[in-house]
Amino acid sequence: MSTTRRTLWQSLTDPHQSIQTVHVRRQGRVLAGLSILLLLLSLALLLWELINTGGVRLNTAATPVLLLVAYIFSRTANPQVGALILTFGVVLVNFAFLILTQDAAATAQTIFILLLPILASTIVASTRITIYLSAVVLIGLLGLAVLTPWLALSDVGGALLVTLLVSALSIVLATIQEQDRSTIQQQARDITRYGEELENEIDQRTQRILATAEVARAITGTRDLDTLLRRVVNLIIDNLDFYHAQVFLVDEKGTTAVLRASTGPAGKQLLEQRHQMPVGSRSVIGQVTERGTPVITRDSDTDVLHRRNELLPLTRSELALPLRVESRIIGALDIQSTNPNAFGETLSL
């Protein structure tokens, strides 16, 4: 039975399916539920007034209509319109009744009804709407007291004070809710962004692992040295999305690093030119083949070790790794990127 009631309530209050924003969906659901409850109360008040007085006042008759319209809009793609009807509509109808009735006793009773839309605005509308609505109610009450001869300021003084306090409390509450909502939304965006970054990092690491495995298969499956080196540099470019890759091997004298494999048309020309770098020279290849430790140039425009090559004009950062056989340095693997700082502090290929 409770499940049936819950399902019925959900069918009466669920927001329009086109609304995707969590905050707007929540406001639409709250607006629908509040409109239903207030509609039932207003109908009960209308029936009670009809039985006891034999007539119905303007505000008593108009309020259920406004609440019904507010409920209808709460189920549409624009629940904000329903929120404005529930708040400003009810306020304006009650002010119209006060102006037309010219009865100080009825005014005192109606004034406190004006507090309900202010309180409702804190959960179905924005902080700005709550501020505007409070200002309308306070200015309207002051205007009635000053401009109408049948109503004195003393008649509404207590109600004004209560309205002022309720308005201030409502504005503070609405502001806190809006700040909390903004914080939650920012945290949700941060979590989403972090998830995307983590997913990208996992994809990159997976790609690198697969590329490393492919290079390992190439090494174990190839006996010819030149063929092996060509496969390794091509696999690096194809799988790791770098600009250029090449391998230098140190000659028998140990004084010169000679280019043995290089990628792309630029690599072909460099091989034809028998490109080489002196071991120990002030260059990336010269330093890595002398020291036996990795060398990184994070920005080719500022790093003194980078030697610009006219055949590779787009290089912005460079990584060189020493190649060893036991304790002897036999060459270097050189990888270049079009992005500055492409190679982090930790070397992970």
Side-chain angles (χ1 to χ4, degrees), residues 94-309:
N94 281 278
F95 269 120
F97 167 74
L98 291 177
I99 294 172
L100 295 175
T101 189
Q102 298 186 5
D103 184 349
T107 299
Q109 298 173 2
T110 305
I111 285 175
F112 288 100
I113 298 177
L114 296 173
L115 299 178
L116 292 177
I118 296 176
L119 292 171
S121 68
T122 63
I123 56 175
V124 299
S126 64
T127 303
R128 183 175 57 183
I129 296 300
T130 302
I131 294 173
Y132 290 163
L133 188 65
S134 300
V136 168
V137 173
L138 290 170
I139 293 172
L141 291 177
L142 283 173
L144 284 175
V146 172
L147 300 177
T148 56
W150 49 268
L151 189 65
L153 185 60
S154 58
D155 295 327
V156 296
L160 271 172
L161 180 60
V162 173
T163 303
L164 183 62
L165 292 175
V166 170
S167 298
L169 179 62
S170 299
I171 292 171
V172 170
L173 179 61
T175 302
I176 292 174
Q177 287 181 333
E178 199 161 282
Q179 290 175 345
D180 290 343
R181 184 167 60 250
S182 298
T183 300
I184 293 172
Q185 290 174 345
Q186 182 60 48
Q187 289 174 342
R189 287 193 293 269
D190 291 342
I191 291 173
T192 301
R193 184 173 63 254
Y194 175 75
E196 291 174 351
E197 292 174 353
L198 184 60
E199 184 177 355
N200 290 335
E201 183 176 350
I202 291 173
D203 289 341
Q204 290 176 1
R205 288 182 180 274
T206 302
Q207 187 179 11
R208 289 172 179 174
I209 291 172
L210 294 174
T212 302
E214 188 69 21
V215 171
R217 283 195 295 270
I219 292 173
T220 56
T222 305
R223 296 180 180 276
D224 180 69
L225 179 61
D226 289 330
T227 302
L228 169 63
L229 295 180
R230 282 196 301 272
R231 290 192 63 183
V232 168
V233 293
N234 285 322
L235 284 170
I236 291 174
I237 296 302
D238 293 340
N239 292 279
L240 299 180
D241 195 28
F242 287 120
Y243 174 46
H244 186 73
Q246 53 193 4
V247 173
F248 288 81
L249 294 182
V250 178
D251 64 8
E252 295 180 356
K253 297 180 180 179
T255 59
T256 305
V258 181
L259 183 66
R260 292 290 298 271
S262 190
T263 56
K268 183 178 180 180
Q269 291 188 50
L270 290 171
L271 288 169
E272 291 174 351
Q273 296 172 7
R274 301 183 181 277
H275 182 61
Q276 54 187 259
M277 301 291 291
V279 173
S281 62
R282 195 166 179 76
S283 64
V284 171
I285 300 302
Q287 291 298 301
V288 75
T289 51
E290 179 184 53
R291 291 157 31 188
T293 56
V295 174
I296 298 176
T297 61
R298 306 192 186 284
D299 192 335
S300 60
D301 290 339
T302 58
D303 198 296
V304 295
L305 286 182
H306 178 75
R307 289 291 175 265
R308 185 173 298 277
N309 192 310

Side-chain angles (χ1 to χ4, degrees), residues 19-41:
I19 300 176
Q20 300 298 323
T21 306
V22 175
H23 166 59
V24 179
R25 289 184 64 85
R26 172 187 166 278
Q27 278 191 328
R29 186 178 292 109
V30 172
L31 175 61
L34 186 61
S35 298
I36 292 173
L37 295 177
L38 292 178
L39 178 59
L40 295 175
L41 289 175

Side-chain angles (χ1 to χ4, degrees), residues 60-77:
T60 308
T63 298
V65 177
L66 289 173
L67 292 172
L68 179 60
V69 174
Y71 170 74
I72 293 172
F73 271 102
S74 73
R75 306 303 306 283
T76 68

